[in-house]
Amino acid sequence: MTYPPPSDGWSDPAWSAQQPDPTLPASGPPISAPPVGKDPYAPADPYAGAPGIPAQAAPVDPYAAAAAYPQPGYPQPMGYAGYGGYQPPPPQNGLAIASMIVSIIGAIGLCGYGLGGYIGLIGAILGHVARRQIRERGEGGAGFATAGIIVGWISTVIAVLATIAIVVFFVWLANQESTTGYGTSY
C-alpha cells in the first residue's frame, strides 16, 4: 500500500523513485501490429496462378476470430483424432451373436433329459460360419463365435452321451425279469 506524500513539503527521495511522476503521460504495454502477408497455416489454393482467376484480394489475418460456420470452398475438418487416431470398432457379426445365443439355449436344454443339447449343434455350425465371415469381412464378434462353437459342441457331446445313457437304461430295463409275481413261476 502506498501513502500520499507528507503535506509539509518534505519528500522522501526513495518514495519518489518508486512512484510514477504524475506530470508524465501514462502508457500501457506496447501494442504490436498484426503481421502482414500470407497466412502460413492457410490451406493451399489449388487455383493459384490459373488464368482468368483473380488472386486473393486482401491478406489473411491469422489473429481474426474464427467464423461460426466454415467458409465455402474449404474442406470440413474431420474432428480431433486424439492419441494414435481413434478408430471406431468394426460392426459385430450378427451370425456370431446368434451362434452364442443358440448354443446357450442348447446348454440350457440339457436339463430336459439331455436331449435339448442337440440344439447346440446348430449353434456350433453357426459359429463356424460366423468365424469364416469375420475373417472375410473384417467384422467384430470373433469372441461370440468362439463361445458359440465351444458351448455348442460341449452341449452336443453331452446330449449324445445322455442319449446313449437313456438307450442303455431302457435296454437294460427291458431285459430284466419281472419280479412282480404275475406270471408263472418255475
Side-chain angles (χ1 to χ4, degrees):
M1 182 167 173
T2 59
Y3 296 100
S7 60
D8 61 356
W10 181 86
S11 71
D12 184 12
W15 184 83
S16 300
Q18 295 175 357
Q19 300 299 322
D21 188 6
T23 59
L24 296 175
S27 66
I31 299 174
S32 62
V36 178
K38 186 176 179 187
D39 180 13
Y41 302 109
D45 186 11
Y47 301 109
I53 298 178
Q56 188 175 1
V60 176
D61 183 11
Y63 300 107
Y69 298 101
Q71 299 297 321
Y74 290 105
Q76 296 291 328
M78 295 304 293
Y80 181 69
Y83 295 108
Y86 173 74
Q87 294 291 328
Q92 295 289 325
N93 185 302
L95 206 55
I97 297 171
S99 164
M100 187 182 71
I101 291 172
V102 170
S103 295
I104 290 173
I105 291 171
I108 293 171
L110 290 172
C111 297
Y113 299 110
L115 301 179
Y118 287 112
I119 297 172
L121 179 62
I122 298 169
I125 293 170
L126 289 175
H128 285 291
V129 173
R131 285 187 59 176
R132 188 194 61 197
Q133 287 180 353
I134 289 169
R135 278 194 308 269
E136 291 173 356
R137 299 178 187 171
E139 296 175 323
F144 289 129
T146 304
I149 291 169
I150 292 170
V151 173
W153 282 120
I154 289 173
S155 64
T156 303
V157 167
I158 292 173
V160 168
L161 293 175
T163 303
I164 292 171
I166 291 170
V167 167
V168 167
F169 175 73
F170 282 121
V171 168
W172 175 79
L173 190 62
N175 289 331
Q176 292 297 313
E177 289 187 21
S178 176
T179 57
T180 58
Y182 293 118
T184 55
S185 172
Y186 302 111

